[in-house]
Amino acid sequence: MTTPDSSVPRLVVVDDTDPTIQYSPASAFSLDSTGSLDLVGYGGPAFNKTLTGTTTNASLSYTFNGK
């Protein structure tokens, strides 16, 4: 018996500084690359010590090819 792919969740990590991510509008996003939030919350430090966030209506797009 095989398990359907959709029943086994996967975690995909994408570096928020990946140049293929399109932030819109770019001015709505801010980048924290100091690692100051690494000890806040759950799950350990942020990947590569960077977090990108927004406090307004904004969007991002990212094309992912893979399985």
Side-chain angles (χ1 to χ4, degrees):
M1 180 161 116
T2 24
T3 304
D5 290 340
S6 61
S7 69
V8 182
R10 302 254 192 303
L11 174 64
V12 177
V13 176
V14 177
D15 188 350
D16 59 336
T17 61
D18 185 321
T20 60
I21 298 174
Q22 300 297 308
Y23 295 101
S24 180
S27 60
F29 290 87
S30 61
L31 172 68
D32 173 21
S33 59
T34 65
S36 64
L37 298 173
D38 281 359
L39 300 176
V40 178
Y42 301 99
F47 178 76
N48 208 21
K49 297 191 179 293
T50 62
L51 291 174
T52 299
T54 185
T55 57
T56 186
N57 289 335
S59 64
L60 66 87
S61 64
Y62 179 73
T63 302
F64 176 76
N65 292 313
K67 286 189 171 193

